[in-house]
């Protein structure tokens, strides 16, 4: 799958992960927690993938942790910040989980009163998605 594993790059990706988490908190007041951490091979490289979520201390103090409008604004701010960070030898990507938004789920939503077409359903589902994916990539 990976070919020859570069142990130093793998360790380096852990350091980058820790620096990202620290910078988010110190510079933006945002905590990134994750419950899933894996490595997988891609053409010409390797990716460390973390699945988790973000919360700002301010949103938490105000009790607005379920406000999706504020969450999406925070997500966009964090995405822009992270994708402008530079770590030598690593590329950072930050996105929301793009789940399986299929016809079956769409039909269930329609039965529950959702108004709109399939594209409206997908757009709303992604808007309401709270799981974030942080990818740290490097070449092999």
């Amino acid at each position: 799958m990976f070919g020859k594993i570069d142990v130093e790059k793998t360790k380096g990706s852990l350091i980058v992960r820790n620096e990202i988490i620290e910078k988010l908190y110190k510079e933006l007041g945002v905590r990134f927690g994750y419950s899933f951490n894996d490595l997988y091979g891609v053409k010409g490289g390797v990716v460390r993938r973390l699945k988790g979520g973000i919360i700002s201390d301010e949103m938490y103090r105000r009790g607005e942790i379920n406000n999706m409008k504020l969450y999406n604004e925070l997500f966009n701010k964090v995405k822009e910040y992270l994708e402008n960070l530079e770590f030598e030898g690593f590329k950072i990507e930050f996105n929301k989980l793009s789940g399986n938004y299929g016809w079956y789920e769409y039909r269930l939503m329609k039965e529950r009163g959702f108004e709109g077409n399939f594209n409206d359903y997908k757009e709303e589902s992604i808007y309401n998605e709270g799981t974030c994916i942080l990818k740290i990539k490097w070449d092999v």
Side-chain angles (χ1 to χ4, degrees):
M1 177 169 105
F2 295 110
K4 185 178 178 186
I5 295 178
D6 185 336
V7 174
E8 291 307 311
K9 280 286 198 175
T10 303
K11 287 180 183 177
S13 71
L14 292 171
I15 293 167
V16 169
R17 175 200 64 193
N18 294 342
E19 287 181 19
I20 287 171
I21 291 170
E22 185 177 321
K23 284 179 181 284
L24 281 175
Y25 186 69
K26 284 186 176 177
E27 297 182 25
L28 300 179
V30 172
R31 297 177 190 272
F32 175 72
Y34 61 93
S35 59
F36 183 84
N37 176 12
D38 71 347
L39 295 173
Y40 64 94
V42 295
K43 187 174 183 177
V46 178
V47 175
R48 175 173 300 283
R49 175 178 53 186
L50 305 164
K51 292 182 184 178
I54 55 174
I55 184 70
S56 78
D57 287 347
E58 188 174 327
M59 283 175 64
Y60 183 76
R61 278 193 300 276
R62 293 190 317 224
E64 297 175 325
I65 58 175
N66 293 319
N67 183 323
M68 288 312 292
K69 180 176 188 275
L70 292 177
Y71 181 84
N72 281 299
E73 290 171 3
L74 178 65
F75 171 82
N76 291 334
K77 179 180 176 181
V78 169
K79 180 176 176 64
E80 181 179 346
Y81 174 79
L82 288 178
E83 292 185 353
N84 285 308
L85 287 178
E86 292 188 20
F87 295 96
E88 186 175 336
F90 297 94
K91 183 177 188 285
I92 308 301
E93 288 182 13
F94 189 69
N95 290 298
K96 284 187 173 182
L97 178 69
S98 54
N100 183 15
Y101 307 116
W103 286 104
Y104 177 76
E105 291 82 6
Y106 171 63
R107 269 195 357 251
L108 289 176
M109 290 292 288
K110 291 293 273 187
E111 289 172 7
R112 294 181 186 135
F114 178 77
E115 295 181 17
N117 62 31
F118 183 72
N119 287 330
D120 296 334
Y121 158 72
K122 277 180 40 178
E123 188 175 306
E124 183 166 321
S125 296
I126 291 170
Y127 179 85
N128 289 322
E129 179 61 61
T131 305
C132 299
I133 308 292
L134 174 63
K135 293 181 180 179
I136 304 167
K137 298 181 176 185
W138 65 92
D139 295 333
V140 291

